[in-house]
Structure formats: C-alpha cells, structure tokens
Amino acid sequence: MKQQLKIYYTSDVHGYLFPTNYADTQEKDMGLLKCIPNFKKDENTLIIDGGDMLQGSALATYCQDHPEEGFPQAKVLNHAGYDFVTLGNHDVNYGTSYLSKYLESLDAACVCENLLDKSSNTKKFPWIIKTLGNGLKVGIVGIVTDYINVWEKAENIKDIMITNPFIAAKKALDEVKPQVDLTICIYHGGFERDVRSGKLLSKTSENIGYKICEELDFDLLLTGHQHLLIEGQLLHGTYIVQPSSNALNYFEIDIEKVQNNIEITSTVGKPTSTPDTELTSQLRPLEMNVQNWLDQAIGTLNSDALAEEKLEMALNGSPVVALIGEVQLQASKAQIAVVSLANTSPGFHKNVTMRDVIATYPYTNQLITLKITGAQLRQVIDKNADYFSLDEQNKVIISPSYLYPKVEHYHFDFFVGLDYTIDLCAKVSKRVTRLLYNNKIVQDTDEFTIALSDYRASGGGGFKTYQECPVIDEGAKEIVELIVEYIQSNEEIKIPNNLNYTIDHSCV
C-alpha cells in the first residue's frame, strides 16, 4: 500500500511576519505572511516550525514591550494550520512565563525532548505520534541546542533544564521507532560538519546535526539555528533540510512509503508576491503601530554614524562602533568596552529614530561589567584576530569559518578604550604586538574593568576567557535601552573618536 505525507517546514522566522526587514519601509520578498498562502493543508499534511519565533524582529520586540498586542506569531501559525513546533534558543530570551503564554495561544503541539521542568525533572514537551488520514503513523521528536545553558540569562531559565539533545533524541527514538512508520526529528540546531565533505567546521556541541545523522537513524531531520539554506539531501541515511531565516524561504517535503521503502524529496518554497489577505488586514493596525514606533525620533548626532562593509569596519573601525562603545563606557563607568555588531547593522542617521537603534542593535543583551587582567585581555584580543585570514597575496579577507556554516560577523569585537595592534602574520597567541591603556604598556598582572554584552560575557563566540573573569556589575538594563537614553541625554551628541587599533598584515 502506498502512503504519502506532505510537510511544510519553516524555522528561525524570528517574528518576521510582514514582508519587511524593518530597516526601511520597502516591501521585500520575505515574511511568513507571504509564505503561508502556498501551504495546502489536508489530512495527510503536516506544517512544522523549528523554533526562534519570539525574538529578532522589531515586531517581536514591540509585542514583548506591549503585552496587550498578544502574540501575532501564534495568530499566523494558527491560521496556517501548523501542527508542531519545537523551541529555539531565542524563544526563552523573554523568560519562560512569556514563552508559556505564547504556547498557550498556539494550536500547534510543542515537542522539545530535552527541555525539562526543573522542579519535577520531567519532560515538558515529549515526543508525539501523529496518525494521518491514510493511516501513516509518524513519530515527532523535538530537541533544541543545549547552548541555551551558555548564552541565556539565568533568571530566564530558572525553572527549566536544557539537557543533552543527542542523548534525549536517542532515547526518544528508541521509544517511538517501534510504534511508527516514519520518524521525524525537529532540531533547533545545525551541522558541525560540512554536509557534503564531512569536514569538521566546529569542535563545540552547539550544533550536532551531523552526529545525529551519523549515529541515529531518524528518517527525516528538520534543522535550523544556523540560518543556512541546506537543500534536501540524504546524510548517512537520514534526509535533511534547513531553511534560511526570517521567512525568506521554507521547505515543501514529499514523503512516500510503499511497503517498507520510504522516498523523500523536497523543494525550496519561495514567498508569494502577495501576503495572506485576511491576516494582513487583521494585523495591519499592529504593523502600523510598529512602524510608527520605529519612526519615533530619539535625538540628534553631529553627523551620520552609518555602518560600512564588514571587512572595512573590522580593519578601520566605524563611527557606529565608537558611539555604542561610548554608550557602554558611560553606562558602566568601566575602563574598556567591547562592542559587537549584528550581521546586519545599518547604523544611525544624524536624526536618530528608534528604527536606527533597533535595526542596528537587534539583540536583547544586557551590559555586564567584569574584572579582567592584562594577560586575559591579550587572550581575548588574540582570539578576536581569528576573524581575519590572509589570501595567497597576503590580502586580508574574512575567515571562511565566520561565513560558513553560519554567518557570524557578530563574533568580531571592537575594544574601545585600548590602543592595540594585531599582527596577522604572527603566530596564534602572539598576534597582539602592542597593547596600551592610557599610553602605558599593559602588563599581564594589570587589572581593568571591562563592559560587554551578557552574551559575550558568558563565553559566547568561543571567548571562554571571560568565564574566568569576576563579575563587577551584572547590569539591569538592555544595551538598546542604554543607547536610547544616551542619545536623548543631550540636544546633540558628538560622535567620539575612541577607536585606536591597527591590523597589521605586511608580513615582511
């Protein structure tokens, strides 16, 4: 007997419902409202999301600040007929109470095998067996990267535990496989190896998709987190896909089971030219509120502080970095500030709006102040030099590891308040050839206060040195809030000239 199943799969939507990136008001080919008109639902169809729905867009930020607006994300998922979701690391950015309210408003079932209730040590969202209209039994298992434990504020996950996703997936597969015809793992995580060559891309356990395919035998692995479009293919017998972020695309997956043989194919779905009419009409007042909020004037700078191309900024600095660095120094009273920019950070116009701020700093990070030694400073600055590589002509390029499998410009840092030189021709751990504070050479035993995001302070991006540094001030405000307050503090803000570093690549 032939049994068929169709799956529509999205992941890492980050609250991008409307066809806009919020950096401007131009309509784009993106957004969940432009994807769902293509979803054709029947009793043999499943619609699934792979997590990271609650944070990342201006709309998501606005809704968190205005709880009376509810959860438009849930309205869209319910209207489209989503059956299952798993959770992403960013879905806990506003705490588990906010997440619970979202899930309560959602018709879809949540599966997240490695998320446990801390008080009872039991699974909150265990695997589910779904029987289709044609009788096909499908086992649905969800897991999320356990790097939530590294990145997230403790108060946001105080009542839950995130356990090892591989162990949880293996146990769930052993339980569910004898009972079903088909097994699906929804994994909010990506691949630690190149899916074509098998080349190791990362030694951390943040992404373990390759290990799952190599050591377990799910029929289908739906991945995300890396924001990397991976078209459908078999990997060690498991069929894999990964869509891009922000509803730039989705997957349409066709599965056919004849006797014991399972055939899986897929296509990358593109947004339609016209968003869902009914929902767009319902949510238009909210979207107008978001757009009006973004156009709200914040203050005035003495000139534009716009971002440039990523490599150019990394080599020579940028006024937008200088400004954010000054914000962090003023707010923390620290001696040094560490500034990281998002993958897309347009910067601030002379007449600053909330749109400038949200588009440039889209994260929920808080400002943390640590105590750091001179020796530790050298370590983190040297680690930061990994962002650069030299080509055959000794021309500086961005290291491929920061571009694939996930674009990670946000793991390059600018150190404001220091005067330093990085020599790209020197050996690793010896690349910091000049390091001064207040025109004095920094000694290994010197101690400083350093202000940085809680994400970086947690060791995010591989900066484990910060985990060894004592916390001076845990901070109470998000960096976005501090930026707004600083720009509002004077009639005109002068952009400082506080970046003093050199990237040397002469190799002579």
Side-chain angles (χ1 to χ4, degrees), residues 111-361:
V111 285
C112 196
E113 202 70 20
N114 63 322
L115 192 153
L116 307 185
D117 183 287
K118 185 172 284 188
S119 61
S120 63
N121 201 34
T122 56
K123 293 184 286 188
K124 289 178 69 71
F125 309 110
W127 55 262
I128 293 174
I129 294 176
K130 172 73 173 179
T131 302
L132 303 183
N134 58 21
L136 191 72
K137 292 183 181 296
V138 184
I140 312 287
V141 175
I143 50 174
V144 61
T145 177
D146 57 358
Y147 259 51
I148 286 177
N149 297 321
V150 176
W151 300 321
E152 194 53 62
K153 302 181 187 74
E155 63 266 27
N156 285 343
I157 54 174
K158 63 181 183 296
D159 56 348
I160 61 172
M161 292 189 297
I162 309 295
T163 63
N164 184 301
F166 181 84
I167 294 173
K170 183 179 188 304
K171 186 173 186 296
L173 181 62
D174 290 342
E175 293 169 352
V176 76
K177 191 174 180 63
Q179 306 179 54
V180 298
D181 304 303
L182 180 79
T183 54
I184 298 174
C185 182
I186 316 166
Y187 172 40
H188 190 86
F191 296 92
E192 72 279 26
R193 292 180 180 271
D194 184 284
V195 296
R196 296 290 188 184
S197 68
K199 178 184 175 183
L200 186 65
L201 301 171
S202 171
K203 295 180 181 178
T204 76
S205 60
E206 177 185 348
N207 301 292
I208 57 166
Y210 201 95
K211 177 182 173 71
I212 290 172
C213 293
E214 201 170 28
E215 299 183 29
L216 304 181
D217 60 346
F218 284 99
D219 295 303
L220 175 63
L221 180 65
L222 305 173
T223 69
H225 183 57
Q226 289 172 312
H227 300 184
L228 177 71
L229 179 62
I230 299 176
E231 298 197 29
Q233 57 195 277
L234 278 172
L235 180 62
H236 294 288
T238 295
Y239 196 88
I240 62 170
V241 299
Q242 184 176 139
S244 305
S245 62
N246 304 352
L248 290 165
N249 48 54
Y250 62 92
F251 271 94
E252 182 176 340
I253 303 164
D254 290 291
I255 302 174
E256 184 174 281
K257 183 177 184 294
V258 181
Q259 304 303 331
N260 293 321
N261 185 51
I262 295 173
E263 284 288 331
I264 305 178
T265 58
S266 65
T267 56
V268 179
K270 301 292 185 183
T272 62
S273 57
T274 305
D276 183 282
T277 306
E278 180 182 342
L279 272 180
T280 300
S281 177
Q282 286 182 25
L283 297 176
R284 179 63 65 188
L286 167 61
E287 177 66 2
M288 292 305 298
N289 288 342
V290 175
Q291 294 291 353
N292 291 337
W293 172 65
L294 289 172
D295 287 331
Q296 177 184 326
I298 299 297
T300 304
L301 309 179
N302 64 327
S303 67
D304 287 341
L306 301 175
E308 299 176 48
E309 190 270 329
K310 289 294 183 181
L311 182 57
E312 171 67 21
M313 286 196 296
L315 288 172
N316 301 306
S318 167
V320 65
V321 173
L323 184 61
I324 295 175
E326 189 63 24
V327 169
Q328 295 184 191
L329 290 174
Q330 291 285 336
S332 65
K333 307 304 179 188
Q335 295 164 287
I336 304 161
V338 178
V339 178
S340 319
L341 291 181
N343 285 340
T344 303
S345 293
F348 308 115
H349 294 90
K350 182 177 180 179
N351 295 312
V352 187
T353 64
M354 184 64 80
R355 188 184 303 278
D356 289 328
V357 178
I358 295 296
T360 300
Y361 206 97

Side-chain angles (χ1 to χ4, degrees), residues 360-496:
T360 300
Y361 206 97
Y363 303 122
T364 59
N365 295 336
Q366 287 180 313
L367 191 64
I368 303 289
T369 305
L370 306 177
K371 182 185 289 184
I372 192 168
T373 67
Q376 290 171 325
L377 264 180
R378 287 183 180 274
Q379 289 174 11
V380 294
I381 297 173
D382 190 273
K383 159 73 176 123
N384 200 51
D386 290 346
Y387 184 74
F388 302 105
S389 290
L390 297 175
D391 65 13
E392 294 176 356
Q393 289 75 41
N394 280 339
K395 181 181 177 183
V396 184
I397 59 173
I398 297 171
S399 294
S401 62
Y402 284 74
L403 303 174
Y404 180 82
K406 187 177 182 180
V407 178
E408 295 179 332
H409 296 299
Y410 51 85
H411 283 158
F412 177 78
D413 291 337
F414 300 84
F415 296 83
V416 181
L418 290 173
D419 188 353
Y420 59 99
T421 296
I422 293 173
D423 185 355
L424 300 181
C425 305
K427 293 181 179 179
V428 173
S429 81
K430 303 293 185 183
R431 291 175 288 189
V432 183
T433 57
R434 182 174 60 96
L435 182 58
L436 294 89
Y437 178 79
N438 278 351
N439 295 318
K440 292 182 180 179
I441 295 174
V442 173
Q443 305 297 325
D444 284 354
T445 54
D446 290 343
E447 290 187 338
F448 303 92
T449 51
I450 187 167
L452 66 172
S453 71
D454 55 348
Y455 170 76
R456 187 67 81 237
S458 72
F463 289 85
K464 295 182 179 179
T465 300
Y466 292 125
Q467 296 174 325
E468 306 165 5
C469 298
V471 176
I472 303 299
D473 186 351
E474 292 189 356
K477 291 186 175 181
E478 292 185 5
I479 294 174
V480 163
E481 185 180 356
L482 296 173
I483 293 171
V484 172
E485 288 179 357
Y486 180 81
I487 294 173
Q488 289 176 333
S489 65
N490 284 297
E491 288 187 11
E492 183 177 271
I493 298 295
K494 183 178 180 181
I495 299 168

